[in-house]
Amino acid sequence: SQTIHQWPATLVQPVGSPLSLECTVEGTSNPNLYWYRQAAGRGLQLLFYSVGIGQISSEVPQNLSASRPQDRQFILSSKKLLLSDSGFYLCAWKSQRTSWGEQYFGPGTRLTVT
Amino acid sequence: AQSVTQPDIHITVSEGASLELRCNYSYGATPYLFWYVQSPGQGLQLLLKYFSGDTLVQGIKGFEAEFKRSQSSFNLRKPSVHWSDAAEYFCAVGNFGNEKLTFGTGTRLTIIP
């Protein structure tokens, strides 16, 4: 069966510091991968998605970036965090076997920028 | 562009009562529809999905949803809620050839004894 991992689970970082969040998927190959953010009390905002290694689509202009160095690894980064980057970050995957398939979500990372 | 509306931000129901959460979508062709549930501090879990066929779909945890094309709706129902159903519920829509889902803003469900 497929499993999706995210780490760290919780992170507290000062403004201006760098960020690296990691997401890995097990039990599948060549998945679509997604990064979402949830601000407090708000819905999901799609940040990035990837259909293959090195292929990243950005949905929202911001100081965040994403990379996919391996087939089942998706990394969210920032060089300098802003207070507005605080939130709950969710990674998700979807099988590429069907173009309409459901997405499966990881447990999330709670980021607090102080 | 496709969109999803969940008109109820917060719903409170008594334990054992029935539940219906509303979801309306906007999309020209046949959509693919999903309901997810999120407990506090957790990721989203898929409750059920509709692609085609029978318009009444059954999901996990005793939930069901009905696709009504004429009303552009995909409402989630449960005959009798349990305290453990307290969570945030998200409706989402996708379509053929689009790698992304569009999510509603969510409905927070509170259960009172």
Side-chain angles (χ1 to χ4, degrees), chain A residues 35-47 60 62 64 76 82-90 109-113, chain B residues 9 38 40-42 44 88 90 104-106 108:
Chain A
W35 278 114
Y36 291 87
R37 177 171 61 200
Q38 271 185 308
R42 302 182 66 178
L44 289 112
Q45 178 186 35
L46 179 63
L47 302 175
V60 182
Q62 62 222 324
L64 299 173
L76 183 69
L82 307 172
L83 284 174
S84 58
D85 291 323
S86 293
F88 192 53
Y89 289 81
L90 290 160
T109 295
R110 172 74 59 192
L111 172 65
T112 303
V113 182
Chain B
I9 296 174
Q38 184 182 32
Q42 305 293 316
L44 276 70
E88 187 97 19
F90 292 93
T105 51
R108 183 160 63 92

Side-chain angles (χ1 to χ4, degrees), chain B residues 72-83:
Chain B
S72 298
S73 68
F74 188 57
N75 294 349
L76 182 70
R77 302 193 295 248
K78 187 170 184 178
S80 177
V81 298
H82 186 262
W83 64 266

Side-chain angles (χ1 to χ4, degrees), chain B residues 22-81:
Chain B
R22 295 183 290 166
C23 173
N24 294 97
Y25 67 90
S26 173
Y27 182 64
T30 300
Y32 306 112
L33 296 157
F34 310 88
W35 274 101
Y36 287 85
V37 61
Q38 184 182 32
S39 296
Q42 305 293 316
L44 276 70
Q45 181 183 21
L46 180 68
L47 281 176
L48 47 79
K49 58 189 178 185
Y50 171 79
F51 292 155
S52 64
D54 192 348
T55 57
L56 184 63
V57 295
Q58 302 297 321
I60 62 172
K61 303 184 179 186
F63 285 92
E64 67 178 26
E66 186 171 12
F67 171 59
K68 293 185 177 180
R69 184 189 302 274
S70 61
Q71 299 177 21
S72 298
S73 68
F74 188 57
N75 294 349
L76 182 70
R77 302 193 295 248
K78 187 170 184 178
S80 177
V81 298

Side-chain angles (χ1 to χ4, degrees), chain A residues 2-23:
Chain A
Q2 300 84 16
T3 310
I4 180 168
H5 303 278
Q6 288 186 244
W7 63 87
T10 305
L11 190 60
V12 180
Q13 293 283 90
V15 168
S17 63
L19 173 73
S20 181
L21 303 182
E22 189 166 344
C23 170

Side-chain angles (χ1 to χ4, degrees), chain A residues 32 34 36 38 43-44 46 49 51 59 88 90 94 99-107, chain B residues 32 34 36 38 41-44 46 49 51 90 95-101 103-105:
Chain A
N32 281 7
Y34 303 83
Y36 291 87
Q38 271 185 308
L44 289 112
L46 179 63
Y49 72 97
V51 300
E59 292 295 300
F88 192 53
L90 290 160
K94 182 182 84 69
S99 62
W100 57 83
E102 60 272 26
Q103 294 180 16
Y104 296 96
F105 285 79
Chain B
Y32 306 112
F34 310 88
Y36 287 85
Q38 184 182 32
Q42 305 293 316
L44 276 70
L46 180 68
K49 58 189 178 185
F51 292 155
F90 292 93
N95 59 86
F96 183 79
N98 189 341
E99 302 299 336
K100 301 178 287 185
L101 294 180
F103 285 84
T105 51

